[in-house]
Amino acid sequence: GGSTSEHHDRSLEWVDINDDVYNMFFLSRLGGQAFWYGIYIFVLKLTLYVFLAMDALDIEQPKNVSEQVLVTQFFMLPVAVAMQDDLIATYYLVANIKYTELIQKECPHASNVKFHVANFCRGVDGMFSLFVNFIILMKATEVLSLFLNFAALQFLQTIDNIALRLCADGYLTERLELVANQVMTIQLPNKNNTFLRSLDSILFMSTFTALLIGWGLISFG
């Protein structure tokens, strides 16, 4: 554990939580500034993903794609999953981090329900992002455009982290700055269950396998 672990139960290993706007929501007061800010960023990202997906789905599925593109797509599938910061963070949290009421000593509004809601929203965000990435990957007709589209999507994924930094650096309100800085210092305990600890790897591989099957069906089906 880190600096705060001195005050905590010694039998637990304490780890930092993700520095993103979803954890601002988790620590926020119900109906407070950080609460609505978190919801706003979530809705913003989802809206952008939906518009992107609608646009991408309108593009006709290319036929007779070159072997170069197919090979690149194949190798980019695990990269597509690994690039999804929010999805990877969700898998990690589900597998490794558990909620404890001890956190309420420092953040009285950090409830168990909000912990799970925040994680669910982060997961939805990550899944949407992966879905859009996958569609754009499948619509590629040349290697260069495939990479350029991937790079362009990368910035969308970081919106929630940028949103937190804006607050932490004091560009918005003092209240948001306070919550953002709490996110960056607060810790939660690790799970001790060996099976659960390997769950993130299982989830990662399952996601990759699903993409692989989808890619195979679309490319060769």
Side-chain angles (χ1 to χ4, degrees):
S3 56
T4 50
S5 58
E6 275 71 43
H7 318 300
H8 299 316
D9 182 349
R10 288 257 176 213
S11 66
L12 297 172
E13 185 193 344
W14 292 72
V15 289
D16 293 328
I17 58 174
N18 227 43
D19 290 349
D20 62 20
V21 81
Y22 296 111
N23 277 327
M24 283 182 69
F25 171 87
F26 163 46
L27 301 184
S28 70
R29 181 174 54 81
L30 218 59
Q33 287 179 21
F35 178 84
W36 292 115
Y37 185 65
I39 291 172
Y40 165 68
I41 298 294
F42 176 64
V43 171
L44 170 76
K45 284 188 81 174
L46 245 54
T47 306
L48 293 174
Y49 285 138
V50 167
F51 288 161
L52 259 172
M54 283 163 67
D55 226 30
L57 286 166
D58 276 347
I59 302 167
E60 210 172 314
Q61 185 59 38
K63 292 177 175 67
N64 307 321
V65 178
S66 72
E67 281 161 18
Q68 250 179 321
V69 171
L70 283 174
V71 171
T72 309
Q73 284 175 340
F74 174 75
F75 284 120
M76 287 302 279
L77 288 174
V79 178
V81 184
M83 270 171 57
Q84 309 305 322
D85 287 346
D86 292 313
L87 196 61
I88 298 297
T90 304
Y91 289 170
Y92 174 78
L93 274 162
V94 167
N96 297 285
I97 309 294
K98 63 179 173 186
Y99 175 81
T100 173
E101 285 183 355
L102 290 171
I103 194 177
Q104 293 188 348
K105 287 178 185 170
E106 291 168 68
C107 306
H109 304 292
S111 67
N112 190 18
V113 172
K114 283 220 303 303
F115 174 69
H116 291 295
V117 170
N119 207 25
F120 174 75
C121 291
R122 188 187 290 106
V124 169
D125 176 346
M127 275 296 179
F128 256 88
S129 175
L130 182 60
F131 177 63
V132 173
N133 263 288
F134 181 67
I135 297 168
I136 285 173
L137 188 74
M138 294 315 299
K139 301 284 184 180
T141 50
E142 48 195 53
V143 174
L144 181 64
S145 67
L146 189 154
F147 277 103
L148 291 174
N149 287 332
F150 247 68
L153 281 174
Q154 187 64 24
F155 99 91
L156 260 185
Q157 292 163 29
T158 58
I159 288 176
D160 48 314
N161 307 73
I162 294 165
L164 174 104
R165 279 191 207 105
L166 272 178
C167 298
D169 293 342
Y171 286 105
L172 301 172
T173 67
E174 276 186 28
R175 179 74 205 147
L176 288 175
E177 185 180 351
L178 178 74
V179 179
N181 282 306
Q182 277 181 325
V183 168
M184 293 162 93
T185 54
I186 216 81
Q187 293 185 318
L188 281 173
N190 250 333
K191 288 178 178 170
N192 295 325
N193 185 311
T194 317
F195 167 71
L196 286 175
R197 294 287 287 267
S198 60
L199 194 60
D200 48 0
S201 308
I202 296 166
L203 287 167
F204 180 88
M205 289 311 295
S206 306
T207 309
F208 168 58
T209 308
L211 286 193
L212 196 58
I213 293 166
W215 172 76
L217 290 173
I218 295 168
S219 300
F220 308 105

